[in-house]
Amino acid sequence: MAEQENGASSGNGAENGAAASDGAKLRMHIMTQFVRDLSFENVLAQRGTGGEVTPDVQVSVNLDAKKRSTEHQYEVATKLNVTSKNKGSGEMLFVMELDYVGVFHVENVPEDQLHPFLLIECPRMIFPFIRRIVSDVTRDGGFPPLNLENIDFVQLYRNEIARRKSETGKQNADA
C-alpha cells in the first residue's frame, strides 16, 4: 500500500507549512485496486493473415471518480481503449479495453480541490500497474509488449474541464 502525508507529491516547505497551519495533514493511501473489466481481441489472428505489419496504436483514456459509502473513501476508475491498426492497410490488428479501479482513502483535502485531486493524483498512483497489465496482455495476445508512455493527468483534466465548459456554453447559446 502507498500512503502519502503532507501533500500528494514531495512538495516544498511552503506546501507542507500550509497543510500544517490548518492543523490537518493530507492523508491518502490506496485501500485496494483491481481490474473491473478487461477484454483483448486479436483481430489479426482471427482473420488468419500474417506477414509484415507496421502498427499504429491509439490510446484513449477516460477517468471517473465517485464517493463510496464509507467515509473518506473514493473509487477512481481509469478506462483505457487501445486500438492498433496496420499503417499500410488500415486493417485492425487488435483491440483492448481495460477498466482499472483504485479505492483510495483520502482525508483533509479541501472540498474545492477534491475533484482534481481524485482525477489527477489517484490515477497517477495506479498508472504503473495499468502499464504493466497492458504490456502483459498485449504480449500474451501475440504482439510485442505495448509499453504505454506516461499520461499527463493534469493536461487530461484540463482538457476535460475545457470540453465541459465549451459544451455548457454551446448549450446555453442554443437555449
Side-chain angles (χ1 to χ4, degrees), residues 39-75:
S39 70
F40 182 85
E41 184 178 352
N42 185 336
V43 179
L44 183 66
Q46 292 176 12
R47 281 195 315 258
T49 60
E52 196 66 31
V53 295
T54 306
D56 178 27
V57 178
Q58 299 294 318
V59 179
S60 68
V61 181
N62 289 307
L63 301 171
D64 187 28
K66 64 181 180 181
K67 178 129 177 61
R68 296 185 72 160
S69 58
T70 307
E71 188 176 11
H72 303 296
Q73 286 191 10
Y74 300 88
E75 186 175 289

PDB file of all heavy atoms in Angstrom, residues 39-75:
ATOM      1  N   SER A  39     -10.796  -6.739 -21.795  1.00  0.00           N
ATOM      2  CA  SER A  39     -11.004  -7.551 -22.992  1.00  0.00           C
ATOM      3  C   SER A  39      -9.874  -7.262 -23.971  1.00  0.00           C
ATOM      4  O   SER A  39      -9.383  -6.147 -24.070  1.00  0.00           O
ATOM      5  CB  SER A  39     -12.362  -7.263 -23.634  1.00  0.00           C
ATOM      6  OG  SER A  39     -12.386  -5.983 -24.209  1.00  0.00           O
ATOM      7  N   PHE A  40      -9.472  -8.310 -24.665  1.00  0.00           N
ATOM      8  CA  PHE A  40      -8.433  -8.201 -25.681  1.00  0.00           C
ATOM      9  C   PHE A  40      -8.860  -9.047 -26.861  1.00  0.00           C
ATOM     10  O   PHE A  40      -9.171 -10.230 -26.711  1.00  0.00           O
ATOM     11  CB  PHE A  40      -7.078  -8.695 -25.147  1.00  0.00           C
ATOM     12  CG  PHE A  40      -5.973  -8.556 -26.156  1.00  0.00           C
ATOM     13  CD1 PHE A  40      -5.289  -7.359 -26.274  1.00  0.00           C
ATOM     14  CD2 PHE A  40      -5.626  -9.608 -26.988  1.00  0.00           C
ATOM     15  CE1 PHE A  40      -4.275  -7.204 -27.213  1.00  0.00           C
ATOM     16  CE2 PHE A  40      -4.619  -9.470 -27.924  1.00  0.00           C
ATOM     17  CZ  PHE A  40      -3.939  -8.258 -28.035  1.00  0.00           C
ATOM     18  N   GLU A  41      -8.893  -8.440 -28.026  1.00  0.00           N
ATOM     19  CA  GLU A  41      -9.295  -9.151 -29.228  1.00  0.00           C
ATOM     20  C   GLU A  41      -8.169  -9.064 -30.250  1.00  0.00           C
ATOM     21  O   GLU A  41      -7.821  -7.975 -30.714  1.00  0.00           O
ATOM     22  CB  GLU A  41     -10.567  -8.526 -29.798  1.00  0.00           C
ATOM     23  CG  GLU A  41     -11.108  -9.249 -30.997  1.00  0.00           C
ATOM     24  CD  GLU A  41     -12.407  -8.621 -31.508  1.00  0.00           C
ATOM     25  OE1 GLU A  41     -12.954  -7.730 -30.854  1.00  0.00           O
ATOM     26  OE2 GLU A  41     -12.837  -9.049 -32.589  1.00  0.00           O
ATOM     27  N   ASN A  42      -7.595 -10.210 -30.593  1.00  0.00           N
ATOM     28  CA  ASN A  42      -6.544 -10.285 -31.598  1.00  0.00           C
ATOM     29  C   ASN A  42      -7.217 -10.460 -32.956  1.00  0.00           C
ATOM     30  O   ASN A  42      -7.469 -11.570 -33.418  1.00  0.00           O
ATOM     31  CB  ASN A  42      -5.595 -11.447 -31.293  1.00  0.00           C
ATOM     32  CG  ASN A  42      -4.410 -11.489 -32.232  1.00  0.00           C
ATOM     33  OD1 ASN A  42      -4.466 -10.985 -33.339  1.00  0.00           O
ATOM     34  ND2 ASN A  42      -3.340 -12.106 -31.776  1.00  0.00           N
ATOM     35  N   VAL A  43      -7.527  -9.346 -33.598  1.00  0.00           N
ATOM     36  CA  VAL A  43      -8.246  -9.357 -34.872  1.00  0.00           C
ATOM     37  C   VAL A  43      -7.381  -9.974 -35.963  1.00  0.00           C
ATOM     38  O   VAL A  43      -7.877 -10.699 -36.830  1.00  0.00           O
ATOM     39  CB  VAL A  43      -8.693  -7.923 -35.255  1.00  0.00           C
ATOM     40  CG1 VAL A  43      -9.415  -7.903 -36.588  1.00  0.00           C
ATOM     41  CG2 VAL A  43      -9.560  -7.332 -34.151  1.00  0.00           C
ATOM     42  N   LEU A  44      -6.090  -9.707 -35.930  1.00  0.00           N
ATOM     43  CA  LEU A  44      -5.167 -10.228 -36.933  1.00  0.00           C
ATOM     44  C   LEU A  44      -5.203 -11.755 -36.968  1.00  0.00           C
ATOM     45  O   LEU A  44      -5.288 -12.358 -38.036  1.00  0.00           O
ATOM     46  CB  LEU A  44      -3.747  -9.731 -36.650  1.00  0.00           C
ATOM     47  CG  LEU A  44      -2.670 -10.136 -37.644  1.00  0.00           C
ATOM     48  CD1 LEU A  44      -2.936  -9.489 -39.006  1.00  0.00           C
ATOM     49  CD2 LEU A  44      -1.296  -9.720 -37.124  1.00  0.00           C
ATOM     50  N   ALA A  45      -5.168 -12.394 -35.814  1.00  0.00           N
ATOM     51  CA  ALA A  45      -5.181 -13.856 -35.758  1.00  0.00           C
ATOM     52  C   ALA A  45      -6.531 -14.412 -36.201  1.00  0.00           C
ATOM     53  O   ALA A  45      -6.593 -15.466 -36.839  1.00  0.00           O
ATOM     54  CB  ALA A  45      -4.869 -14.324 -34.334  1.00  0.00           C
ATOM     55  N   GLN A  46      -7.615 -13.711 -35.893  1.00  0.00           N
ATOM     56  CA  GLN A  46      -8.949 -14.179 -36.296  1.00  0.00           C
ATOM     57  C   GLN A  46      -9.110 -14.168 -37.811  1.00  0.00           C
ATOM     58  O   GLN A  46      -9.786 -15.031 -38.365  1.00  0.00           O
ATOM     59  CB  GLN A  46     -10.030 -13.310 -35.658  1.00  0.00           C
ATOM     60  CG  GLN A  46     -10.130 -13.467 -34.161  1.00  0.00           C
ATOM     61  CD  GLN A  46     -11.140 -12.513 -33.548  1.00  0.00           C
ATOM     62  OE1 GLN A  46     -11.927 -11.889 -34.239  1.00  0.00           O
ATOM     63  NE2 GLN A  46     -11.110 -12.405 -32.236  1.00  0.00           N
ATOM     64  N   ARG A  47      -8.490 -13.194 -38.474  1.00  0.00           N
ATOM     65  CA  ARG A  47      -8.560 -13.129 -39.934  1.00  0.00           C
ATOM     66  C   ARG A  47      -7.687 -14.186 -40.578  1.00  0.00           C
ATOM     67  O   ARG A  47      -7.866 -14.515 -41.745  1.00  0.00           O
ATOM     68  CB  ARG A  47      -8.105 -11.748 -40.424  1.00  0.00           C
ATOM     69  CG  ARG A  47      -9.148 -10.679 -40.293  1.00  0.00           C
ATOM     70  CD  ARG A  47      -8.803  -9.451 -41.106  1.00  0.00           C
ATOM     71  NE  ARG A  47      -7.423  -9.038 -40.971  1.00  0.00           N
ATOM     72  CZ  ARG A  47      -6.977  -8.038 -40.224  1.00  0.00           C
ATOM     73  NH1 ARG A  47      -7.826  -7.335 -39.508  1.00  0.00           N
ATOM     74  NH2 ARG A  47      -5.689  -7.727 -40.178  1.00  0.00           N
ATOM     75  N   GLY A  48      -6.711 -14.678 -39.821  1.00  0.00           N
ATOM     76  CA  GLY A  48      -5.830 -15.707 -40.353  1.00  0.00           C
ATOM     77  C   GLY A  48      -4.748 -15.166 -41.263  1.00  0.00           C
ATOM     78  O   GLY A  48      -4.149 -15.910 -42.023  1.00  0.00           O
ATOM     79  N   THR A  49      -4.515 -13.877 -41.197  1.00  0.00           N
ATOM     80  CA  THR A  49      -3.467 -13.297 -42.022  1.00  0.00           C
ATOM     81  C   THR A  49      -2.247 -13.037 -41.172  1.00  0.00           C
ATOM     82  O   THR A  49      -2.306 -12.962 -39.965  1.00  0.00           O
ATOM     83  CB  THR A  49      -3.929 -11.972 -42.670  1.00  0.00           C
ATOM     84  OG1 THR A  49      -4.273 -11.058 -41.634  1.00  0.00           O
ATOM     85  CG2 THR A  49      -5.117 -12.188 -43.570  1.00  0.00           C
ATOM     86  N   GLY A  50      -1.154 -12.895 -41.797  1.00  0.00           N
ATOM     87  CA  GLY A  50       0.087 -12.613 -41.089  1.00  0.00           C
ATOM     88  C   GLY A  50       0.941 -11.731 -41.953  1.00  0.00           C
ATOM     89  O   GLY A  50       0.440 -10.947 -42.752  1.00  0.00           O
ATOM     90  N   GLY A  51       2.226 -11.887 -41.823  1.00  0.00           N
ATOM     91  CA  GLY A  51       3.132 -11.105 -42.650  1.00  0.00           C
ATOM     92  C   GLY A  51       3.604  -9.860 -41.924  1.00  0.00           C
ATOM     93  O   GLY A  51       3.453  -9.712 -40.721  1.00  0.00           O
ATOM     94  N   GLU A  52       4.161  -8.964 -42.703  1.00  0.00           N
ATOM     95  CA  GLU A  52       4.750  -7.738 -42.163  1.00  0.00           C
ATOM     96  C   GLU A  52       3.668  -6.708 -41.858  1.00  0.00           C
ATOM     97  O   GLU A  52       2.845  -6.388 -42.716  1.00  0.00           O
ATOM     98  CB  GLU A  52       5.736  -7.168 -43.181  1.00  0.00           C
ATOM     99  CG  GLU A  52       6.680  -6.140 -42.627  1.00  0.00           C
ATOM    100  CD  GLU A  52       7.654  -6.702 -41.607  1.00  0.00           C
ATOM    101  OE1 GLU A  52       8.038  -7.880 -41.693  1.00  0.00           O
ATOM    102  OE2 GLU A  52       8.023  -5.944 -40.700  1.00  0.00           O
ATOM    103  N   VAL A  53       3.663  -6.212 -40.640  1.00  0.00           N
ATOM    104  CA  VAL A  53       2.724  -5.157 -40.258  1.00  0.00           C
ATOM    105  C   VAL A  53       3.488  -4.034 -39.574  1.00  0.00           C
ATOM    106  O   VAL A  53       4.496  -4.258 -38.923  1.00  0.00           O
ATOM    107  CB  VAL A  53       1.607  -5.670 -39.318  1.00  0.00           C
ATOM    108  CG1 VAL A  53       0.724  -6.664 -40.020  1.00  0.00           C
ATOM    109  CG2 VAL A  53       2.171  -6.246 -38.043  1.00  0.00           C
ATOM    110  N   THR A  54       2.990  -2.830 -39.746  1.00  0.00           N
ATOM    111  CA  THR A  54       3.529  -1.663 -39.059  1.00  0.00           C
ATOM    112  C   THR A  54       2.389  -1.096 -38.218  1.00  0.00           C
ATOM    113  O   THR A  54       1.475  -0.458 -38.753  1.00  0.00           O
ATOM    114  CB  THR A  54       4.015  -0.609 -40.072  1.00  0.00           C
ATOM    115  OG1 THR A  54       4.926  -1.233 -40.976  1.00  0.00           O
ATOM    116  CG2 THR A  54       4.706   0.537 -39.365  1.00  0.00           C
ATOM    117  N   PRO A  55       2.413  -1.351 -36.909  1.00  0.00           N
ATOM    118  CA  PRO A  55       1.273  -0.960 -36.084  1.00  0.00           C
ATOM    119  C   PRO A  55       1.188   0.552 -35.851  1.00  0.00           C
ATOM    120  O   PRO A  55       2.191   1.240 -35.717  1.00  0.00           O
ATOM    121  CB  PRO A  55       1.523  -1.692 -34.768  1.00  0.00           C
ATOM    122  CG  PRO A  55       2.975  -1.977 -34.740  1.00  0.00           C
ATOM    123  CD  PRO A  55       3.435  -2.062 -36.154  1.00  0.00           C
ATOM    124  N   ASP A  56      -0.041   1.034 -35.839  1.00  0.00           N
ATOM    125  CA  ASP A  56      -0.368   2.400 -35.454  1.00  0.00           C
ATOM    126  C   ASP A  56      -1.298   2.265 -34.251  1.00  0.00           C
ATOM    127  O   ASP A  56      -2.444   1.837 -34.398  1.00  0.00           O
ATOM    128  CB  ASP A  56      -1.059   3.130 -36.607  1.00  0.00           C
ATOM    129  CG  ASP A  56      -1.469   4.546 -36.230  1.00  0.00           C
ATOM    130  OD1 ASP A  56      -0.826   5.139 -35.346  1.00  0.00           O
ATOM    131  OD2 ASP A  56      -2.446   5.053 -36.827  1.00  0.00           O
ATOM    132  N   VAL A  57      -0.803   2.602 -33.077  1.00  0.00           N
ATOM    133  CA  VAL A  57      -1.535   2.383 -31.840  1.00  0.00           C
ATOM    134  C   VAL A  57      -2.178   3.687 -31.377  1.00  0.00           C
ATOM    135  O   VAL A  57      -1.525   4.729 -31.340  1.00  0.00           O
ATOM    136  CB  VAL A  57      -0.603   1.838 -30.730  1.00  0.00           C
ATOM    137  CG1 VAL A  57      -1.355   1.654 -29.423  1.00  0.00           C
ATOM    138  CG2 VAL A  57       0.036   0.530 -31.171  1.00  0.00           C
ATOM    139  N   GLN A  58      -3.465   3.615 -31.041  1.00  0.00           N
ATOM    140  CA  GLN A  58      -4.206   4.749 -30.497  1.00  0.00           C
ATOM    141  C   GLN A  58      -4.710   4.367 -29.114  1.00  0.00           C
ATOM    142  O   GLN A  58      -5.264   3.288 -28.927  1.00  0.00           O
ATOM    143  CB  GLN A  58      -5.407   5.096 -31.389  1.00  0.00           C
ATOM    144  CG  GLN A  58      -5.034   5.506 -32.796  1.00  0.00           C
ATOM    145  CD  GLN A  58      -4.278   6.813 -32.820  1.00  0.00           C
ATOM    146  OE1 GLN A  58      -4.613   7.747 -32.109  1.00  0.00           O
ATOM    147  NE2 GLN A  58      -3.224   6.869 -33.621  1.00  0.00           N
ATOM    148  N   VAL A  59      -4.504   5.277 -28.148  1.00  0.00           N
ATOM    149  CA  VAL A  59      -4.939   5.036 -26.770  1.00  0.00           C
ATOM    150  C   VAL A  59      -5.856   6.173 -26.353  1.00  0.00           C
ATOM    151  O   VAL A  59      -5.490   7.338 -26.466  1.00  0.00           O
ATOM    152  CB  VAL A  59      -3.733   4.957 -25.805  1.00  0.00           C
ATOM    153  CG1 VAL A  59      -4.203   4.730 -24.375  1.00  0.00           C
ATOM    154  CG2 VAL A  59      -2.761   3.878 -26.231  1.00  0.00           C
ATOM    155  N   SER A  60      -7.055   5.832 -25.888  1.00  0.00           N
ATOM    156  CA  SER A  60      -7.929   6.845 -25.311  1.00  0.00           C
ATOM    157  C   SER A  60      -8.121   6.521 -23.836  1.00  0.00           C
ATOM    158  O   SER A  60      -8.205   5.352 -23.450  1.00  0.00           O
ATOM    159  CB  SER A  60      -9.265   6.925 -26.049  1.00  0.00           C
ATOM    160  OG  SER A  60     -10.015   5.758 -25.847  1.00  0.00           O
ATOM    161  N   VAL A  61      -8.178   7.575 -23.027  1.00  0.00           N
ATOM    162  CA  VAL A  61      -8.261   7.428 -21.576  1.00  0.00           C
ATOM    163  C   VAL A  61      -9.474   8.183 -21.065  1.00  0.00           C
ATOM    164  O   VAL A  61      -9.693   9.339 -21.435  1.00  0.00           O
ATOM    165  CB  VAL A  61      -6.990   7.995 -20.889  1.00  0.00           C
ATOM    166  CG1 VAL A  61      -7.068   7.821 -19.383  1.00  0.00           C
ATOM    167  CG2 VAL A  61      -5.739   7.355 -21.447  1.00  0.00           C
ATOM    168  N   ASN A  62     -10.259   7.539 -20.226  1.00  0.00           N
ATOM    169  CA  ASN A  62     -11.373   8.179 -19.534  1.00  0.00           C
ATOM    170  C   ASN A  62     -11.218   7.917 -18.050  1.00  0.00           C
ATOM    171  O   ASN A  62     -10.823   6.818 -17.640  1.00  0.00           O
ATOM    172  CB  ASN A  62     -12.717   7.628 -20.011  1.00  0.00           C
ATOM    173  CG  ASN A  62     -13.047   8.062 -21.413  1.00  0.00           C
ATOM    174  OD1 ASN A  62     -13.016   9.249 -21.715  1.00  0.00           O
ATOM    175  ND2 ASN A  62     -13.338   7.106 -22.278  1.00  0.00           N
ATOM    176  N   LEU A  63     -11.535   8.932 -17.259  1.00  0.00           N
ATOM    177  CA  LEU A  63     -11.425   8.822 -15.812  1.00  0.00           C
ATOM    178  C   LEU A  63     -12.778   9.070 -15.169  1.00  0.00           C
ATOM    179  O   LEU A  63     -13.578   9.863 -15.671  1.00  0.00           O
ATOM    180  CB  LEU A  63     -10.420   9.843 -15.278  1.00  0.00           C
ATOM    181  CG  LEU A  63      -9.005   9.736 -15.827  1.00  0.00           C
ATOM    182  CD1 LEU A  63      -8.177  10.932 -15.391  1.00  0.00           C
ATOM    183  CD2 LEU A  63      -8.356   8.438 -15.381  1.00  0.00           C
ATOM    184  N   ASP A  64     -13.010   8.405 -14.062  1.00  0.00           N
ATOM    185  CA  ASP A  64     -14.250   8.595 -13.316  1.00  0.00           C
ATOM    186  C   ASP A  64     -13.938   8.410 -11.836  1.00  0.00           C
ATOM    187  O   ASP A  64     -13.122   7.558 -11.469  1.00  0.00           O
ATOM    188  CB  ASP A  64     -15.295   7.577 -13.773  1.00  0.00           C
ATOM    189  CG  ASP A  64     -16.655   7.826 -13.172  1.00  0.00           C
ATOM    190  OD1 ASP A  64     -16.977   8.988 -12.853  1.00  0.00           O
ATOM    191  OD2 ASP A  64     -17.413   6.844 -13.013  1.00  0.00           O
ATOM    192  N   ALA A  65     -14.569   9.225 -11.008  1.00  0.00           N
ATOM    193  CA  ALA A  65     -14.379   9.106  -9.560  1.00  0.00           C
ATOM    194  C   ALA A  65     -15.733   9.223  -8.877  1.00  0.00           C
ATOM    195  O   ALA A  65     -16.585  10.006  -9.310  1.00  0.00           O
ATOM    196  CB  ALA A  65     -13.442  10.188  -9.045  1.00  0.00           C
ATOM    197  N   LYS A  66     -15.923   8.433  -7.840  1.00  0.00           N
ATOM    198  CA  LYS A  66     -17.158   8.547  -7.070  1.00  0.00           C
ATOM    199  C   LYS A  66     -16.884   8.203  -5.613  1.00  0.00           C
ATOM    200  O   LYS A  66     -15.967   7.439  -5.291  1.00  0.00           O
ATOM    201  CB  LYS A  66     -18.257   7.673  -7.649  1.00  0.00           C
ATOM    202  CG  LYS A  66     -17.992   6.184  -7.603  1.00  0.00           C
ATOM    203  CD  LYS A  66     -19.136   5.418  -8.218  1.00  0.00           C
ATOM    204  CE  LYS A  66     -18.877   3.927  -8.174  1.00  0.00           C
ATOM    205  NZ  LYS A  66     -19.946   3.152  -8.765  1.00  0.00           N
ATOM    206  N   LYS A  67     -17.696   8.796  -4.774  1.00  0.00           N
ATOM    207  CA  LYS A  67     -17.583   8.562  -3.327  1.00  0.00           C
ATOM    208  C   LYS A  67     -18.194   7.207  -3.014  1.00  0.00           C
ATOM    209  O   LYS A  67     -19.196   6.820  -3.585  1.00  0.00           O
ATOM    210  CB  LYS A  67     -18.328   9.657  -2.567  1.00  0.00           C
ATOM    211  CG  LYS A  67     -18.306   9.490  -1.068  1.00  0.00           C
ATOM    212  CD  LYS A  67     -17.850  10.755  -0.402  1.00  0.00           C
ATOM    213  CE  LYS A  67     -17.860  10.701   1.100  1.00  0.00           C
ATOM    214  NZ  LYS A  67     -17.013   9.713   1.688  1.00  0.00           N
ATOM    215  N   ARG A  68     -17.566   6.496  -2.109  1.00  0.00           N
ATOM    216  CA  ARG A  68     -18.108   5.221  -1.641  1.00  0.00           C
ATOM    217  C   ARG A  68     -18.917   5.468  -0.383  1.00  0.00           C
ATOM    218  O   ARG A  68     -18.886   6.553   0.190  1.00  0.00           O
ATOM    219  CB  ARG A  68     -16.972   4.245  -1.368  1.00  0.00           C
ATOM    220  CG  ARG A  68     -16.218   3.907  -2.656  1.00  0.00           C
ATOM    221  CD  ARG A  68     -15.214   2.885  -2.431  1.00  0.00           C
ATOM    222  NE  ARG A  68     -15.901   1.597  -2.210  1.00  0.00           N
ATOM    223  CZ  ARG A  68     -15.334   0.427  -2.355  1.00  0.00           C
ATOM    224  NH1 ARG A  68     -14.092   0.352  -2.699  1.00  0.00           N
ATOM    225  NH2 ARG A  68     -15.999  -0.670  -2.152  1.00  0.00           N
ATOM    226  N   SER A  69     -19.615   4.470   0.091  1.00  0.00           N
ATOM    227  CA  SER A  69     -20.461   4.630   1.273  1.00  0.00           C
ATOM    228  C   SER A  69     -19.639   4.831   2.545  1.00  0.00           C
ATOM    229  O   SER A  69     -20.116   5.419   3.503  1.00  0.00           O
ATOM    230  CB  SER A  69     -21.398   3.432   1.430  1.00  0.00           C
ATOM    231  OG  SER A  69     -20.638   2.243   1.531  1.00  0.00           O
ATOM    232  N   THR A  70     -18.397   4.371   2.545  1.00  0.00           N
ATOM    233  CA  THR A  70     -17.516   4.549   3.695  1.00  0.00           C
ATOM    234  C   THR A  70     -16.928   5.951   3.672  1.00  0.00           C
ATOM    235  O   THR A  70     -16.517   6.440   2.628  1.00  0.00           O
ATOM    236  CB  THR A  70     -16.378   3.510   3.661  1.00  0.00           C
ATOM    237  OG1 THR A  70     -16.943   2.215   3.537  1.00  0.00           O
ATOM    238  CG2 THR A  70     -15.525   3.574   4.918  1.00  0.00           C
ATOM    239  N   GLU A  71     -16.873   6.585   4.829  1.00  0.00           N
ATOM    240  CA  GLU A  71     -16.357   7.949   4.910  1.00  0.00           C
ATOM    241  C   GLU A  71     -14.907   8.024   4.440  1.00  0.00           C
ATOM    242  O   GLU A  71     -14.100   7.153   4.757  1.00  0.00           O
ATOM    243  CB  GLU A  71     -16.453   8.453   6.351  1.00  0.00           C
ATOM    244  CG  GLU A  71     -16.120   9.918   6.481  1.00  0.00           C
ATOM    245  CD  GLU A  71     -16.311  10.441   7.896  1.00  0.00           C
ATOM    246  OE1 GLU A  71     -16.506   9.635   8.821  1.00  0.00           O
ATOM    247  OE2 GLU A  71     -16.236  11.655   8.056  1.00  0.00           O
ATOM    248  N   HIS A  72     -14.602   9.037   3.665  1.00  0.00           N
ATOM    249  CA  HIS A  72     -13.261   9.325   3.155  1.00  0.00           C
ATOM    250  C   HIS A  72     -12.766   8.323   2.111  1.00  0.00           C
ATOM    251  O   HIS A  72     -11.591   8.307   1.796  1.00  0.00           O
ATOM    252  CB  HIS A  72     -12.220   9.420   4.277  1.00  0.00           C
ATOM    253  CG  HIS A  72     -12.537  10.424   5.316  1.00  0.00           C
ATOM    254  ND1 HIS A  72     -12.599  11.770   5.059  1.00  0.00           N
ATOM    255  CD2 HIS A  72     -12.806  10.286   6.637  1.00  0.00           C
ATOM    256  CE1 HIS A  72     -12.895  12.421   6.166  1.00  0.00           C
ATOM    257  NE2 HIS A  72     -13.034  11.552   7.143  1.00  0.00           N
ATOM    258  N   GLN A  73     -13.640   7.476   1.583  1.00  0.00           N
ATOM    259  CA  GLN A  73     -13.204   6.520   0.565  1.00  0.00           C
ATOM    260  C   GLN A  73     -13.812   6.864  -0.778  1.00  0.00           C
ATOM    261  O   GLN A  73     -14.995   7.181  -0.881  1.00  0.00           O
ATOM    262  CB  GLN A  73     -13.569   5.093   0.960  1.00  0.00           C
ATOM    263  CG  GLN A  73     -12.685   4.552   2.050  1.00  0.00           C
ATOM    264  CD  GLN A  73     -12.867   3.060   2.245  1.00  0.00           C
ATOM    265  OE1 GLN A  73     -13.513   2.389   1.462  1.00  0.00           O
ATOM    266  NE2 GLN A  73     -12.271   2.552   3.301  1.00  0.00           N
ATOM    267  N   TYR A  74     -12.964   6.775  -1.811  1.00  0.00           N
ATOM    268  CA  TYR A  74     -13.356   7.127  -3.169  1.00  0.00           C
ATOM    269  C   TYR A  74     -12.886   6.041  -4.119  1.00  0.00           C
ATOM    270  O   TYR A  74     -11.814   5.478  -3.946  1.00  0.00           O
ATOM    271  CB  TYR A  74     -12.740   8.468  -3.575  1.00  0.00           C
ATOM    272  CG  TYR A  74     -13.183   9.599  -2.671  1.00  0.00           C
ATOM    273  CD1 TYR A  74     -12.472   9.882  -1.508  1.00  0.00           C
ATOM    274  CD2 TYR A  74     -14.312  10.346  -2.973  1.00  0.00           C
ATOM    275  CE1 TYR A  74     -12.887  10.901  -0.667  1.00  0.00           C
ATOM    276  CE2 TYR A  74     -14.719  11.367  -2.143  1.00  0.00           C
ATOM    277  CZ  TYR A  74     -14.009  11.640  -0.993  1.00  0.00           C
ATOM    278  OH  TYR A  74     -14.427  12.643  -0.155  1.00  0.00           O
ATOM    279  N   GLU A  75     -13.709   5.790  -5.116  1.00  0.00           N
ATOM    280  CA  GLU A  75     -13.382   4.819  -6.153  1.00  0.00           C
ATOM    281  C   GLU A  75     -13.018   5.603  -7.410  1.00  0.00           C
ATOM    282  O   GLU A  75     -13.809   6.407  -7.896  1.00  0.00           O
ATOM    283  CB  GLU A  75     -14.607   3.945  -6.400  1.00  0.00           C
ATOM    284  CG  GLU A  75     -14.384   2.814  -7.344  1.00  0.00           C
ATOM    285  CD  GLU A  75     -15.609   1.930  -7.437  1.00  0.00           C
ATOM    286  OE1 GLU A  75     -15.898   1.217  -6.455  1.00  0.00           O
ATOM    287  OE2 GLU A  75     -16.274   1.975  -8.504  1.00  0.00           O
TER     288      GLU A  75
END
